Amino acid sequence: MKEKTAEDFMRLALREAEKARVIDEVPVGAVIVRDGKVISRAHNLREKNQKADAHAEMLAIRKASSKLGTWCLDDCDLYVTLEPCMMCTGVIGLSRIHALYYGTSDPKGGTVDSLIQIKTIRHIGTYPKEIHSGILQPECSAILSDFFREKRKKKKRDRNEFRKAQ
Amino acid sequence: MKEKTAEDFMRLALREAEKARVIDEVPVGAVIVRDGKVISRAHNLREKNQKADAHAEMLAIRKASSKLGTWCLDDCDLYVTLEPCMMCTGVIGLSRIHALYYGTSDPKGGTVDSLIQIKTIRHIGTYPKEIHSGILQPECSAILSDFFREKRKKKKRDRNEFRKAQ
């Protein structure tokens, strides 16, 4: 059997993002992998769960820890479609994830390479040993921009209908 | 009835930290308050739960959201004995906590004022409107330094006993 590539795992993360999109959550997905096997998958569930921390990475990490019975995931890699936010960058470090692979950058909220360059902060120490970005970047970006474009269109439609009804 | 002060609520957070200490968890405690009433309390449970994200602030925020039925805690304040780490600083912002009160600084892991000065990062946007530090600082610091001193003593004792046994 051919060994799976980073792109293969990112494709699974994209499938998770798609599950979020279907239920009108911001479409971000994540997958955790150990020894070439998927340990957990998750997608953004903030609105459904009404929890601010229900981001794909956080949920995937929590599931992986439940499955493996340990908070320490230093033999696991994480694939996520969007550059992690501050909370998720933090928990990726705290859980000792070995390698982080992300799809597209988040210039407004990403704290791995965008708003903060995590590797430059001394003493934080517990960031992943490997960081790889730009895996399936066009697909990971498109699912988000399509989602927000649809949102804006809907908002405009609703506004027009509201005006007509008045 | 006299209105409760920040020190009163920090005392409750310290009680939570004490609960952590008793079960050999790093003694950090947190309390969430709305309209002068305690909504949730929590302490560090990383080892017991085997979850990297089981920090006092994270657990208190999750409990508060469960109780109030919303991820948005913009009418709530959070009291925590130690300066929040990156993950917790992130979730405090994401959950829109109104005011953050912390006890003692964490020069090695704090990302509100120490390693990162959260207010200086443009675009992050969602940090608390108010940040107050140094509430009951000596007590909040002492519970941590006593805990780690005991840990080091125990380690030394164990090492000596191991040597004797050889």
Side-chain angles (χ1 to χ4, degrees):
Chain A
M1 207 174 67
K2 221 186 89 189
E3 206 172 301
K4 284 201 171 70
T5 64
E7 283 73 15
D8 293 329
F9 291 122
M10 193 59 83
R11 222 158 269 131
L12 298 180
L14 269 165
R15 259 195 239 171
E16 285 297 313
E18 176 59 23
K19 287 184 199 168
R21 193 195 59 79
V22 169
I23 55 168
D24 208 31
E25 298 273 359
V26 174
V28 180
V31 167
I32 292 182
V33 174
R34 187 173 73 161
D35 296 334
K37 279 184 194 135
V38 173
I39 299 292
S40 67
R41 306 161 193 246
H43 52 275
N44 204 14
L45 284 174
R46 187 182 75 165
E47 300 305 323
K48 191 174 171 232
N49 291 3
Q50 286 298 312
K51 295 278 188 304
D53 65 301
H55 284 193
E57 306 93 305
M58 177 64 84
L59 297 175
I61 284 173
R62 220 177 288 154
K63 276 188 199 172
S65 281
S66 291
K67 200 161 168 182
L68 302 174
T70 176
W71 63 261
C72 183
L73 305 176
D74 59 358
D75 49 2
C76 294
D77 298 335
L78 187 142
Y79 295 78
V80 57
T81 55
L82 182 66
E83 181 185 358
C85 73
M86 190 168 193
M87 174 188 74
C88 291
T89 307
V91 75
I92 287 166
L94 291 171
S95 62
R96 310 283 195 274
I97 288 285
H98 175 77
L100 164 67
Y101 296 80
Y102 71 84
T104 193
S105 295
D106 182 1
K108 285 184 186 169
T111 53
V112 174
D113 296 305
S114 296
L115 293 181
I116 298 171
Q117 295 74 49
I118 191 68
K119 288 204 167 179
T120 65
I121 302 170
R122 278 194 188 196
H123 296 300
I124 258 193
T126 55
Y127 51 77
K129 298 227 174 352
E130 293 177 33
I131 296 174
H132 307 273
S133 58
I135 321 292
L136 301 186
Q137 193 277 334
E139 295 91 322
C140 292
S141 172
I143 193 170
L144 280 161
S145 47
D146 291 353
F147 177 81
F148 287 112
R149 192 181 311 116
E150 273 309 309
K151 282 265 168 207
R152 282 192 300 271
K153 265 194 209 167
K154 194 188 170 302
K155 214 172 165 183
K156 205 173 164 186
R157 254 194 331 263
D158 289 352
R159 211 165 37 215
N160 287 343
E161 273 168 28
F162 177 75
R163 267 189 210 140
K164 272 185 209 164
Q166 276 191 318
Chain B
M1 206 176 70
K2 223 185 89 190
E3 208 173 298
K4 285 202 170 72
T5 65
E7 283 73 17
D8 293 330
F9 291 123
M10 193 59 84
R11 222 158 269 130
L12 297 180
L14 270 166
R15 258 194 239 168
E16 285 297 313
E18 176 60 21
K19 288 184 200 167
R21 194 195 62 75
V22 169
I23 57 168
D24 209 31
E25 298 273 359
V26 174
V28 179
V31 168
I32 291 181
V33 174
R34 187 174 72 159
D35 296 334
K37 278 183 196 140
V38 174
I39 299 292
S40 67
R41 307 160 192 245
H43 53 274
N44 202 15
L45 284 175
R46 186 181 78 166
E47 300 305 324
K48 191 175 170 231
N49 291 4
Q50 286 298 313
K51 296 277 188 304
D53 65 302
H55 284 194
E57 305 94 306
M58 176 64 84
L59 297 175
I61 284 173
R62 221 177 289 155
K63 276 187 199 174
S65 281
S66 290
K67 201 161 167 182
L68 302 175
T70 175
W71 63 261
C72 184
L73 306 176
D74 59 357
D75 50 0
C76 294
D77 298 335
L78 187 141
Y79 295 78
V80 57
T81 55
L82 181 66
E83 181 185 356
C85 72
M86 188 167 195
M87 173 189 74
C88 291
T89 307
V91 75
I92 287 165
L94 291 171
S95 63
R96 309 284 194 270
I97 288 285
H98 176 78
L100 164 67
Y101 297 80
Y102 70 84
T104 193
S105 295
D106 182 2
K108 286 185 186 168
T111 54
V112 175
D113 295 308
S114 296
L115 294 181
I116 298 171
Q117 295 76 48
I118 190 68
K119 288 203 169 181
T120 65
I121 301 170
R122 279 193 187 196
H123 296 299
I124 259 194
T126 56
Y127 52 77
K129 298 227 174 352
E130 294 177 31
I131 296 175
H132 307 274
S133 58
I135 321 291
L136 302 187
Q137 193 277 333
E139 295 90 323
C140 292
S141 171
I143 193 170
L144 280 160
S145 47
D146 290 354
F147 177 81
F148 287 114
R149 191 181 313 115
E150 273 308 309
K151 282 267 168 205
R152 282 192 300 272
K153 265 194 206 166
K154 194 189 170 301
K155 212 172 166 184
K156 205 173 164 185
R157 253 191 334 261
D158 289 351
R159 210 164 39 216
N160 287 342
E161 272 169 28
F162 177 75
R163 267 188 209 140
K164 272 185 208 162
Q166 276 192 321

